[in-house]
């Protein structure tokens, strides 16, 4: 069985291709990428016309929350992975802050096993750093690696005990997996719910200063230097995070960084009322921080765009800044926001979009993905850069409708997602 994708603008960082080409998929593998591939030379071939569209390696989201097991009213492996397929993702990495926490090899195996039947795309779990995310005892990182985790993370919080964290980083290094760092000094947060600044004072809420993030980012970079372990800073939101990653890279340290669409699109100025859909951790920051993140992505300092897809229930998010949980959904809006806010505004080329959403995540995770090279697994997204529409949260496949982007006009839509040679979006197929 063949799929022939014709007339699209093929953009692939690994091969350096950016041009109008055809892509031939045979069963689950990329068979050929060439200027003209004739349909009549193949039997049993389905032709997809990608004229006017970008043909890119399937997106990889290194940072999602699937809430399964434990909080399945918010999301499940099935609904989250389906939302991901709609968003153009062919690989997603769920964080371990589920109930129970992903903190041992058996749970990892269980998630991977369930994903095979419940998910249309690849799921690579992230293991916790400490047992139960309690910050007291390091997990069986070696065992979890053998079971298939792609990284460790304590996401949702930081491991405040630096000695314990260093120990875990050393083991992760021995296992050849990166550490994904949520940077938040919990003592410094002191009950803050939004960025510390004019808005928090005006609205009367306790603030979260940039130092909450920056202090732990600095510590983690120093520990990466000491251990030699690959460190990836999650959801960077401050200008100093960008600066520290730049300096770390100049020093040759194994450090990378990610930015989420909400952090490069919105600032505290966009928060109009006491709406829980603008509450996430780290919080929306100042316009100066937003500009630093955009420039960091442009200049290659920030490597990855990930969503931190964090679904929550409607009633939970209706409680405003004080009462709502942190987090917003992102899988179904990430590609359009990246294209609209960064590519159309001149911060990223389409090739850089591929780099941040496919190539770099694969490289950082050390997985054989994120490319359209011949012989590789056929994970492909066909993205229409001309389609204009207004984001409608009610149309989300995700169980979470918690987004500040409802009603926002964007350009760019995923037309097809192909995972291992199978069309997984549109769903009707
Ligand atoms: O906004 C967030 N939501 N930040 C986190 O670190 C955790 C996440 C969640 O699990 O809801
Ligand atoms: Zn986090
Ligand atoms: Zn997260």
């Amino acid at each position: 069985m063949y799929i022939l994708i014709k007339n699209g603008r093929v953009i692939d960082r690994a091969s350096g291709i950016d041009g109008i080409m055809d892509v031939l998929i045979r069963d689950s593998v990329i068979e050929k990428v060439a200027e003209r591939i004739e349909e009549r030379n193949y039997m049993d071939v389905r032709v997809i016309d990608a004229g006017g569209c970008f043909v890119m390696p399937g997106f990889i989201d290194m940072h999602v929350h699937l809430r399964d097991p434990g909080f399945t009213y918010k999301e499940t492996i099935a609904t989250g992975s389906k939302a991901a397929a709609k968003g153009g993702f062919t690989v997603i990495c769920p964080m371990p802050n589920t109930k129970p926490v992903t903190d041992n090899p058996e749970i990892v195996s269980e998630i991977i096993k369930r994903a095979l039947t419940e998910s249309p795309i690849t799921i690579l779990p992230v293991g916790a750093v400490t047992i139960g995310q309690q910050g007291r005892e390091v997990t069986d990182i070696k065992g979890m690696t053998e079971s298939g985790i792609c990284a460790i993370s304590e996401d949702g919080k930081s491991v405040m005990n630096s000695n314990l964290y260093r120990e875990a980083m050393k083991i992760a290094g021995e296992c050849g997996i990166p550490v994904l760092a949520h940077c938040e000094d919990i003592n410094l947060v002191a009950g803050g719910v939004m960025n510390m600044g004019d808005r928090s004072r005006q609205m009367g809420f306790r603030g979260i200063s940039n130092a909450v993030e920056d202090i732990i980012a600095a510590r983690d970079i120093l520990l990466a230097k000491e251990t030699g372990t690959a460190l990836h800073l999650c959801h960077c939101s401050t200008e100093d995070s960008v600066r520290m990653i730049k300096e770390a890279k100049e020093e040759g340290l194994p450090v990378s960084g990610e930015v989420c669409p909400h952090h490069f699109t919105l600032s505290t100025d966009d928060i109009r009322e006491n709406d829980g859909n603008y509450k996430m951790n780290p919080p929306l920051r100042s316009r100066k921080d937003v500009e630093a993140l955009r420039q960091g992505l442009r200049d290659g300092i920030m490597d990855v765009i990930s969503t931190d897809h964090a679904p929550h229930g409607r009633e939970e998010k209706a409680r405003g800044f004080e009462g709502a949980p942190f987090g917003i959904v992102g899988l179904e809006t990430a590609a359009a926001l990246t294209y609209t806010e960064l590519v159309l505004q001149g911060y990223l080329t389409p090739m850089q979009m591929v780099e941040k959403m496919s190539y770099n995540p694969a490289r950082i995770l050390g997985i054989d993905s994120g490319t359209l090279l011949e012989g590789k697994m056929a994970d492909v997204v066909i993205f229409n850069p001309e389609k204009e529409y207004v984001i409608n949260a009610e149309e989300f496949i995700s169980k979470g409708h918690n987004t500040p982007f409802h009603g926002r006009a964007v350009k760019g839509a995923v037309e097809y997602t192909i995972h291992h040679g199978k069309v997984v979006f549109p769903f009707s197929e």
Side-chain angles (χ1 to χ4, degrees):
M1 166 70 184
Y2 291 96
I3 296 176
L4 177 56
I5 305 168
K6 286 196 74 78
N7 309 316
R9 176 173 168 189
V10 175
I11 310 170
D12 180 40
R13 172 66 170 77
S15 61
I17 290 173
D18 182 349
I20 305 298
M21 299 263 215
D22 296 344
V23 176
L24 182 68
I25 296 168
R26 179 185 186 173
D27 299 323
S28 58
V29 172
I30 307 264
E31 169 103 344
K32 194 172 171 188
V33 180
E35 258 173 36
R36 257 189 93 80
I37 303 175
E38 296 296 343
E39 179 187 344
R40 59 180 138 74
N41 295 338
Y42 302 92
M43 291 222 296
D44 193 16
V45 55
R46 171 180 175 184
V47 177
I48 295 176
D49 182 13
C53 291
F54 296 166
V55 179
M56 307 188 275
F59 301 137
I60 299 171
D61 193 344
M62 296 176 65
H63 190 155
V64 305
H65 298 270
L66 294 182
R67 311 300 191 201
D68 188 356
F71 305 97
T72 49
Y73 69 96
K74 298 184 195 238
E75 194 79 290
T76 65
I77 289 176
T79 57
S81 58
K82 200 172 171 193
K86 183 181 161 204
F89 295 94
T90 50
V91 180
I92 55 175
C93 307
M95 287 295 185
N97 61 341
T98 44
K99 197 174 165 189
V101 169
T102 311
D103 64 0
N104 68 63
E106 290 71 40
I107 298 181
V108 173
S109 300
E110 178 66 16
I111 294 170
I112 291 174
K113 186 170 139 236
R114 284 186 51 201
L116 291 177
T117 55
E118 295 169 33
S119 167
I121 59 164
T122 300
I123 290 184
L124 299 175
V126 179
V129 179
T130 69
I131 293 175
Q133 291 191 300
Q134 293 298 307
R136 285 194 282 270
E137 201 183 333
V138 174
T139 53
D140 178 6
I141 298 169
K142 285 203 171 77
M144 288 195 294
T145 306
E146 281 157 19
S147 289
I149 57 166
C150 62
I152 56 166
S153 178
E154 200 83 329
D155 190 52
K157 53 174 105 170
S158 291
V159 177
M160 291 306 296
N161 181 331
S162 303
N163 189 41
L164 202 70
Y165 200 48
R166 182 176 62 178
E167 193 49 42
M169 283 183 82
K170 270 191 204 148
I171 301 167
E174 286 160 20
C175 293
I177 56 170
V179 175
L180 316 182
H182 169 112
C183 299
E184 180 186 13
D185 185 323
I186 197 64
N187 302 307
L188 209 52
V189 177
V193 295
M194 67 162 61
N195 184 52
M196 184 179 279
D198 291 345
R199 290 317 302 275
S200 66
R201 280 187 285 275
Q202 216 175 66
M203 297 179 82
F205 295 129
R206 271 172 295 181
I208 302 170
S209 70
N210 283 23
V212 166
E213 174 171 324
D214 299 338
I215 284 169
I216 302 296
R219 178 200 71 168
D220 287 6
I221 290 169
L222 293 170
L223 290 177
K225 179 174 178 171
E226 201 172 299
T227 59
T229 298
L231 172 74
H232 177 75
L233 298 187
C234 294
H235 46 46
C236 294
S237 73
T238 69
E239 57 175 341
D240 281 319
S241 281
V242 178
R243 180 179 57 79
M244 288 187 282
I245 290 172
K246 177 170 186 274
E247 289 170 6
K249 287 185 168 181
E250 282 164 2
E251 210 183 320
L253 303 181
V255 172
S256 57
E258 81 187 17
V259 186
C260 304
H262 45 278
H263 289 130
F264 66 63
T265 302
L266 303 174
S267 74
T268 49
D269 296 357
D270 296 296
I271 304 169
R272 275 180 227 301
E273 53 192 305
N274 184 14
D275 180 350
N277 287 319
Y278 289 84
K279 181 180 179 183
M280 68 291 284
N281 189 14
L284 299 175
R285 299 288 192 184
S286 71
R287 287 235 286 270
K288 198 157 167 257
D289 291 304
V290 173
E291 186 55 31
L293 296 171
R294 290 175 164 231
Q295 292 182 8
L297 284 162
R298 179 195 67 194
D299 298 342
I301 298 162
M302 307 308 283
D303 308 86
V304 168
I305 293 170
S306 70
T307 65
D308 196 9
H309 178 80
H312 290 293
R314 276 183 208 274
E315 324 74 58
E316 293 170 318
K317 285 305 250 182
R319 292 177 201 147
F321 268 91
E322 300 269 55
F326 289 99
I328 61 166
V329 292
L331 285 167
E332 293 165 79
T333 51
L337 288 168
T338 299
Y339 185 71
T340 306
E341 295 294 321
L342 300 178
V343 178
L344 287 178
Q345 292 189 32
Y347 286 90
L348 297 184
T349 61
M351 181 64 89
Q352 281 177 300
M353 178 174 170
V354 168
E355 192 172 284
K356 314 285 179 194
M357 295 190 73
S358 304
Y359 182 79
N360 282 344
R363 179 175 58 75
I364 290 162
L365 294 169
I367 58 173
D368 193 16
S369 187
T371 166
L372 298 175
L373 284 172
E374 291 172 1
K376 298 292 183 186
M377 271 297 176
D379 288 355
V380 185
V381 56
I382 302 177
F383 181 81
N384 183 344
E386 293 302 324
K387 223 178 222 177
E388 291 182 57
Y389 58 99
V390 171
I391 291 172
N392 181 357
E394 297 312 314
E395 289 173 359
F396 288 172
I397 298 296
S398 168
K399 282 195 186 183
H401 302 272
N402 47 312
T403 176
F405 297 117
H406 178 71
R408 190 181 184 92
V410 289
K411 206 169 174 188
V414 171
E415 300 279 4
Y416 290 89
T417 306
I418 297 170
H419 175 259
H420 292 11
K422 189 169 175 287
V423 175
V424 291
F425 179 78
F427 302 126
S428 51
E429 324 225 347

